[in-house]
């Protein structure tokens, strides 16, 4: 059992805890400074989930310490949404996530829906605007204001954030957690792992959270990158780098459609990207069918029968027109040429010179055109990690570990990954808020 503990808030007890959000409270001695501190909660990871947890804990007067391995806090958040941060989505429910326990995801999302996210940020002066009818971004078009709001809220309630403190070991001593790393050690009544996954490792989420969770008795569901660009070795597709089309993508596993996505497809110099591709990358990477194939519907908004009728009219009216010219009515010329080449139709040939059977095969294929994918750009470019700490090992309402009482988990470290469009941040905010409230309930009974 560790010896006697210093109360980190005794320095300013009676002075009030900066409830008005004016000056930040005086900070207690940081870990590693020699004094033995007993925290109510130590949160590992100062990403969106960890910060949201800390704010909810400290708001209820819990002694709250956040440790992050990086010197620069919020690196991933700042990068997000192309530097603009797609904070949440208009309609969020568990169907937008892949996880090992959708009931748990549903509980968490219902406990802290996107309206609460909007209200939280509004309180700190960040108004959101809707884009494409469903995705919320800060009005300032900058992820900085989102990070600033989180840091302002944590200062207001006296959260202590320690940067450059990578947690390497966690052990139980009596009913306390002992959390340590290079040159520091601290003790806490409860512990939160909000360490993220493996995606964009340069931002600090390097998978060490899984090792810590394992050391506390948890199982890690196999991880794969998700929301990551896909690769091809086909030079025809690569030659189209820069072209974007609105499409529907289907993943066929041994001939059966097992996943679908819609949105923009962007051809790149190494393969395919854009929201539709990112969304289907997780299912593609997880799919272990003997034969898997990605197919593009280039006309997601059109009825096939109408399109075919339009072509028959076109062939009757302009029999001398070249296929290149006719197909370029619908696509950029470079794409039209690649589609024709792959279908064995010479671009210069006249419309009426291609036999009806071949013509129909080509036109039908535009609704299910196979593209050969050879891999992905992996965690380096993945927005999120699929897999993680098994959701069945945490309480479906509180996110407290069933394996290690007093341990809670929030954010991407859990086996939950969402679609593109603000869903992953919403999971981070909601799971952080739920964990914060659960810890308050456990320690304060409120
Ligand atoms: C390029 C990019 C763009 C994105 N855009 C969007 C978007 O627009 N909308 C959206 O919804 N989602 C987006 N995402 C996904 C979103 O950023 C993540 O889902 C979210 O950040 C996960 O939050 P988290 O707090 O769980 O983990 P993280 O944000 O990964 O934070 C984890 C923190 O834990 C720290 N840490 C890890 N291990 C340790 C340790 N051992 N000791 C101490 N500290 C540790 C890390 O340094 C890090 O600060 C994007 C992701 C990327 C990479």
């Amino acid at each position: 059992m560790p010896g006697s503990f210093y109360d980190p808030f005794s320095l300013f007890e009676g002075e009030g805890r900066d409830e008005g959000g004016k000056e930040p409270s005086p900070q207690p001695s940081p870990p590693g400074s020699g004094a033995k501190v007993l925290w109510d909660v130590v949160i590992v990871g100062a990403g969106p989930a960890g910060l949201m947890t800390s704010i909810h804990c400290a708001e209820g007067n819990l002694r709250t310490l956040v440790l992050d391995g990086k010197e620069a806090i919020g690196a991933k958040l700042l990068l997000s949404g192309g530097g603009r941060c797609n904070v949440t989505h208009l309609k969020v429910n568990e169907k937008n996530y892949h996880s090992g326990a959708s009931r748990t995801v549903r509980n968490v999302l219902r406990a802290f829906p996107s309206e609460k996210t909007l209200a939280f940020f509004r309180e700190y002066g960040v108004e959101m605007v809707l884009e494409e009818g469903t995705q919320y971004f800060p009005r300032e078009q900058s992820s900085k204001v989102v990070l600033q709001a989180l840091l302002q809220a944590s200062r207001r309630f006296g959260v202590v954030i320690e940067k450059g403190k990578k947690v390497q070991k966690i052990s139980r001593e009596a009913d306390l957690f002992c959390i340590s790393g290079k040159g520091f050690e601290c003790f806490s009544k409860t512990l939160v792992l909000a360490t993220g996954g493996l995606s964009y490792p340069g931002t600090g989420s390097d998978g060490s959270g899984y090792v810590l969770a394992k050391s506390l008795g948890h199982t890690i569901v196999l991880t794969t990158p998700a929301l990551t660009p896909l690769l091809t070795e086909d030079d025809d597709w690569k030659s189209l780098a820069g072209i974007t089309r609105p499409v529907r993508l289907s993943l066929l596993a041994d001939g059966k459609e097992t996943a679908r996505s819609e949105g923009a497809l962007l051809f790149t110099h190494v393969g395919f990207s854009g929201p539709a591709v990112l969304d289907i990358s997780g299912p593609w990477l997880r799919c272990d069918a003997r034969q898997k194939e990605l197919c593009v519907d280039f006309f997601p908004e059109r009825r096939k029968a109408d399109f075919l009728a339009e072509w028959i009219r076109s062939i009757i009216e302009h029999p001398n027109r070249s296929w290149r010219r006719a197909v370029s009515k619908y696509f950029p010329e470079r794409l039209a040429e690649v589609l024709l080449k792959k279908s064995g139709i010479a671009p210069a040939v006249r419309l009426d010179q291609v036999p009806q059977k071949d013509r129909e095969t080509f036109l039908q294929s535009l609704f299910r055109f196979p593209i050969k994918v050879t891999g992905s750009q992996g965690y380096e470019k993945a927005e999120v990690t699929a897999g993680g700490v098994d959701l069945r090992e945490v309480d479906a309402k509180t996110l407290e570990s069933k394996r290690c009482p007093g341990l809670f988990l929030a954010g991407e470290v859990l086996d939950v990954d969402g679609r593109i469009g603000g869903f992953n941040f919403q999971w981070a905010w909601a799971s952080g808020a739920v964990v914060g409230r659960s810890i308050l309930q456990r320690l304060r009974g409120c």
Side-chain angles (χ1 to χ4, degrees):
M1 171 77 191
S4 60
F5 288 98
Y6 158 74
D7 176 346
F9 286 151
S10 61
L11 275 179
F12 48 93
E13 242 164 31
E15 294 174 19
R17 299 265 315 282
D18 188 29
E19 303 294 347
K22 292 161 235 133
E23 285 301 302
S25 304
Q27 299 301 299
S29 322
S33 65
K36 241 180 195 178
V37 175
L38 176 57
W39 299 93
D40 287 322
V41 52
V42 166
I43 298 161
V44 189
L51 290 175
M52 191 54 106
T53 308
S54 76
I55 293 159
H56 278 77
C57 290
E59 199 176 1
N61 278 319
L62 296 184
R63 305 150 188 194
T64 307
L65 172 68
V66 183
L67 299 169
D68 201 287
K70 293 300 266 190
E71 287 294 342
I73 299 286
K76 193 179 283 182
L77 197 153
L78 289 175
L79 278 176
S80 69
R84 299 188 308 126
C85 189
N86 181 187
V87 173
T88 188
H89 194 276
L90 181 66
K91 287 189 189 146
V92 181
N93 65 44
E94 68 281 7
K95 294 195 183 104
N96 302 113
Y97 297 82
H98 175 263
S99 80
S102 63
R103 188 169 66 94
T104 306
V105 178
R106 184 172 64 229
N107 289 341
V108 170
L109 296 172
R110 286 187 181 175
F112 195 86
S114 50
E115 299 82 57
K116 294 222 169 171
T117 301
L118 300 178
F120 170 86
F121 283 105
R122 191 173 303 123
E123 197 182 335
Y124 292 92
V126 184
E127 288 293 338
M128 303 291 169
V129 289
L130 255 189
E131 287 190 14
E132 295 179 28
T134 53
Q135 300 172 11
Y136 282 105
F137 286 83
R139 189 180 49 200
E140 289 79 359
Q141 299 290 312
S142 164
S143 47
K144 273 192 203 144
V145 295
V146 177
L147 181 59
Q148 277 162 3
L150 291 165
L151 295 177
Q152 190 190 338
S154 42
R155 261 204 311 275
R156 172 179 171 191
F157 297 114
V159 174
V160 178
I161 302 177
E162 283 290 321
K163 305 174 201 171
K165 295 276 187 294
K166 178 163 178 162
V167 174
Q168 290 166 327
K169 192 170 169 226
I170 298 168
S171 55
R172 293 301 298 258
E173 294 193 19
D175 54 353
L176 300 180
F177 289 94
C178 172
I179 302 117
S180 58
K182 213 169 164 193
F184 72 93
E185 178 182 68
C186 53
F187 294 89
S188 181
K189 295 177 192 165
T190 59
L191 174 75
V192 181
L193 285 182
T195 45
L198 281 156
S199 54
Y200 265 69
T203 61
S205 45
D206 58 1
S208 57
Y210 300 138
V211 180
L212 296 172
K214 247 179 154 173
S215 76
L216 295 167
H218 279 283
T219 315
I220 309 302
V221 174
L222 184 69
T223 63
T224 57
L227 302 188
T228 191
L230 296 175
L231 298 170
T232 187
E233 279 162 16
D234 186 324
D235 289 334
D236 287 332
W237 296 127
K238 290 191 209 171
S239 75
L240 301 176
I243 292 178
T244 306
R245 302 298 301 165
V247 300
R248 180 182 299 129
L249 293 178
S250 300
L251 171 63
L252 303 183
D254 294 330
K256 259 182 69 184
E257 185 179 59
T258 56
R260 199 181 249 213
S261 68
E262 268 186 52
L265 156 68
L266 167 69
F267 293 94
T268 71
H269 63 285
V270 290
F272 313 102
S273 190
V277 172
L278 297 182
D279 258 344
I280 212 153
S281 62
W284 191 87
L285 286 160
R286 282 192 293 270
C287 174
D288 56 6
R290 258 178 306 130
Q291 262 202 322
K292 58 178 174 179
E293 189 173 42
L294 216 51
C295 291
V296 187
D297 176 352
F298 283 103
F299 297 106
E301 304 293 336
R302 293 208 65 174
R303 283 187 54 229
K304 205 192 278 185
D306 294 345
F307 179 74
L308 296 179
E310 186 174 305
W311 266 85
I312 292 167
R313 275 199 306 277
S314 177
I315 291 165
I316 294 168
E317 286 166 18
H318 311 284
N320 296 330
R321 189 169 277 175
S322 74
W323 275 85
R324 177 191 292 111
R325 179 150 173 233
V327 179
S328 297
K329 181 177 161 199
Y330 302 95
F331 300 105
E333 196 168 307
R334 280 193 293 149
L335 174 55
E337 290 207 1
V338 166
L339 294 172
L340 286 168
K341 178 180 168 193
K342 292 199 168 299
S343 309
I345 298 177
V349 85
R350 282 172 26 185
L351 283 184
D352 65 353
Q353 282 177 332
V354 171
Q356 186 189 352
K357 195 169 137 282
D358 296 352
R359 195 171 71 204
E360 275 187 8
T361 305
F362 170 69
L363 295 174
Q364 301 261 12
S365 77
L366 297 177
F367 291 82
R368 201 172 248 206
F369 210 99
I371 53 175
K372 186 130 180 74
V373 170
T374 49
S376 82
Q377 287 195 262
Y379 291 115
E380 288 297 319
K381 295 281 177 206
E383 289 197 7
V384 73
T385 305
V389 175
D390 195 330
L391 263 196
R392 292 166 304 183
E393 296 174 355
V394 297
D395 183 278
K397 289 226 160 83
T398 63
L399 297 183
E400 182 171 6
S401 163
K402 292 180 188 167
R403 296 287 159 92
C404 176
L407 167 68
F408 293 78
L409 297 106
E412 200 179 313
V413 70
L414 286 161
D415 173 25
V416 180
D417 59 290
R419 285 178 43 218
I420 202 158
F423 296 103
N424 286 299
F425 276 138
Q426 185 56 34
W427 171 251
W429 314 131
S431 57
V434 163
V435 166
R437 286 179 194 158
S438 308
I439 293 175
L440 267 179
Q441 175 70 36
R442 185 188 165 93
L443 296 183
R444 295 266 192 273
C446 58

